[in-house]
Amino acid sequence: MTAVQEPPVTDTGDRGVPRVDYTLMQVAIEQAALSDSDVSEAELINELQQLEALNNSLAALRATRLRHFARTHVANQIAAGAGEPEKLERSVASQLGMACKVSPFTARSRMRVARDLHDGFTHLRALFVAGEVSEDTVAAIVTAAGDLSAHDRALLDARLAEHDLTGRGIGRLRDLVRRLVAEIAPEKFRHRAEQAKTERRVTLRPATDGMAYLTAYLPVAQGAACLAALQKAFTNLSCNPAPLTRTRAQVMADTLVERLTGRTTATDVDVEVQVMVPLAALLDPDSPLPAEIPGYGPVPADLLADLTGQKSLRRLLTKDGIVIGGDSRRRTFTGPLATFIRARSRNRCTEPYCDAPVRHIDHVKRAEDHGRTEFDNGRGVCEFHNHVREQPGWTVERTPDGFRTTTPTGHSYRGPDPPAPEPQ
């Protein structure tokens, strides 16, 4: 995923800030990284300390430039007549994500941290610029104080200056900040705790090897009660005279599935699993090519053959990594075209650096521009990027090697590489 086009560089004029040749810096660092000088252990530790300080200072510089771009872009868009804050934030986050090669979620977090860091945290910012504290430390402190006004942030910064921020772990720093916030702005502290309860949720994230992370965001008392109930299930089972064939962790995981689904055993679940099966593997039972669950990665095909309960497979056939057809063990299913498009993108957004799950099926050539609703003109995107491309200045086009997105600044980015061809 690389930039394929750069707009012409313009002279920004002398603003009294020393200009740094970042390319020269990068070349020097690359040369140092490729060398393996014969130095002592103590010298290596000294060098690592210097590198960490340099990395922190560079992160502080990036935050400054990031904030400056956000303010400049918003001002220019408002001057051009675009004044919807939500759309402006999406545009900024998406462009920053592509420029920094991170997801828009990460870019948005960095943008908000940079904004608040430059508005009240004078002491913390000085430590950051000097390389004394890391980017993760700064993000934890600023995020924990996210509800404060600029005046309250300045008070918090003064209180933090009384403590040594360089010798504490992030967890201890976060606890310190929350205690100080409770003293400086007790009403906001209470409101944040009450608001957090309304945001309780359950999420599912893909893991490797055909696994997934099921996460519950709960009030601490409810979370502790859930864990205690699962631990009690293992205790009860261990009192049974029958020999244990599962570990403590396995029993707790199985108990969670059984109680949530109402099934007698964890393997007896009712679900449809979409599986991408290479055509070569279908024709040759001994083929080493793995199957793939869209959004969850490759899994050995033979492990999917042994199904119990009500699980069913919807096979999506692929050739050279492209979905060419599919079937289902169920008699009916709706939206096969959308199913194929989601599977082709592995159920991940096709915008550069974004790993969010597919929520929308987007027309590469817009329907209003007479784009047809067909397989080749569809792409899977997350909700965020589907809204972003509708803003002025954004274009998307299909290229021989995938999709290419062009931002309002004229920068172009190629989407994720297409799947590698399957061996014949």
Side-chain angles (χ1 to χ4, degrees):
M1 293 176 282
T2 57
V4 297
Q5 174 184 333
E6 293 290 343
V9 178
T10 58
D11 184 6
T12 56
D14 184 7
R15 299 185 179 89
V17 179
R19 302 183 66 87
V20 179
D21 191 334
Y22 299 119
T23 302
L24 183 60
M25 288 178 57
Q26 184 173 357
V27 170
I29 292 174
E30 288 175 353
Q31 291 177 344
L34 294 174
S35 65
D36 190 12
S37 56
D38 185 14
V39 296
S40 66
E41 294 181 10
E43 290 173 321
L44 286 172
I45 291 297
N46 291 337
E47 188 174 345
L48 288 172
Q49 291 176 337
Q50 293 173 340
L51 288 172
E52 190 62 25
L54 174 61
N55 186 58
N56 295 340
S57 296
L58 287 174
L61 173 61
R62 184 185 63 200
T64 300
R65 296 296 183 264
L66 189 151
R67 172 177 176 267
H68 185 59
F69 168 79
R71 291 164 64 90
T72 302
H73 180 71
V74 169
N76 290 338
Q77 291 298 308
I78 291 177
E84 296 186 43
E86 184 177 353
K87 289 186 176 181
L88 291 176
E89 185 182 39
R90 284 176 178 165
S91 179
V92 170
S94 187
Q95 292 185 73
L96 291 175
M98 292 181 179
C100 297
K101 301 182 179 180
V102 296
S103 71
F105 175 83
T106 300
R108 178 181 282 171
S109 298
R110 288 181 180 179
M111 177 177 63
R112 292 174 177 175
V113 168
R115 177 196 63 196
D116 292 348
L117 177 65
H118 287 72
D119 195 6
F121 284 109
T122 305
H123 172 69
L124 178 62
R125 185 184 171 205
L127 290 177
F128 195 19
V129 171
E132 295 294 323
V133 294
S134 69
E135 181 181 14
D136 291 339
T137 297
V138 171
I141 293 175
V142 174
T143 302
D147 295 335
L148 299 185
S149 64
H151 177 265
D152 289 341
R153 282 195 292 271
L155 294 178
L156 173 62
D157 187 63
R159 297 285 297 276
L160 289 174
E162 302 171 0
H163 300 269
D164 179 13
L165 303 184
T166 63
R168 298 171 184 249
I170 291 180
R172 286 189 172 89
L173 280 174
R174 188 181 290 111
D175 291 342
L176 171 63
V177 173
R178 298 300 292 152
R179 286 196 297 269
L180 295 177
V181 168
E183 297 175 12
I184 295 172
E187 290 302 320
K188 291 181 179 178
F189 177 76
R190 181 180 182 84
H191 173 74
R192 179 165 178 164
E194 293 175 346
Q195 179 66 25
K197 293 181 180 180
T198 67
E199 298 173 355
R200 58 191 183 275
R201 58 190 178 273
V202 177
T203 57
L204 184 70
R205 295 182 294 114
T208 58
D209 304 320
M211 303 294 284
Y213 295 104
L214 179 66
T215 305
Y217 181 67
L218 302 171
V220 62
Q222 295 179 12
C226 291
L227 183 62
L230 297 176
Q231 292 172 337
K232 184 179 179 181
F234 174 77
T235 301
N236 293 339
L237 185 63
S238 62
C239 295
N240 193 307
L244 285 174
T245 59
R246 294 174 293 169
T247 65
R248 179 190 186 93
Q250 290 170 345
V251 170
M252 292 173 62
D254 291 346
T255 302
L256 173 66
V257 174
E258 291 161 7
R259 294 186 179 181
L260 287 179
T261 62
R263 296 289 179 175
T264 305
T265 60
T267 56
D268 186 26
V269 292
D270 185 5
V271 68
E272 179 184 272
V273 180
Q274 293 184 0
V275 181
M276 299 175 63
V277 182
L279 184 60
L282 190 64
L283 298 176
D284 180 9
D286 297 325
S287 172
L289 297 179
E292 182 173 345
I293 302 175
Y296 293 84
V299 291
D302 59 328
L303 292 185
L304 296 172
D306 182 19
L307 295 177
T308 60
Q310 303 299 314
K311 290 191 290 294
S312 63
L313 298 181
R314 174 176 293 174
R315 297 181 303 176
L316 305 174
L317 304 182
T318 66
K319 182 175 176 58
D320 296 335
I322 305 298
V323 177
I324 60 174
D327 62 13
S328 176
R329 293 186 183 178
R330 290 185 173 181
R331 286 186 171 270
T332 61
F333 66 87
T334 59
L337 183 58
T339 297
F340 291 168
I341 292 174
R342 283 190 174 91
R344 180 179 61 188
S345 64
R346 272 47 175 183
N347 201 36
R348 295 187 188 276
C349 180
T350 53
E351 282 289 341
Y353 317 113
C354 184
D355 284 332
V358 171
R359 300 298 184 198
H360 295 177
I361 304 299
D362 182 36
H363 286 76
V364 178
K365 182 179 180 181
R366 292 185 175 91
E368 60 194 50
D369 297 328
H370 307 293
R372 301 182 63 179
T373 305
E374 57 188 11
F375 187 72
D376 288 340
N377 193 44
R379 64 168 190 150
V381 292
C382 64
E383 181 177 2
F384 175 88
H385 277 119
N386 190 38
H387 291 309
V388 166
R389 74 88 46 110
E390 295 302 323
Q391 298 184 38
W394 289 83
T395 61
V396 178
E397 60 181 329
R398 176 180 283 280
T399 64
D401 56 356
F403 301 104
R404 182 166 58 187
T405 297
T406 302
T407 70
T409 59
H411 291 77
S412 292
Y413 302 87
R414 182 167 58 83
D417 291 330
E422 297 164 3
Q424 301 298 319

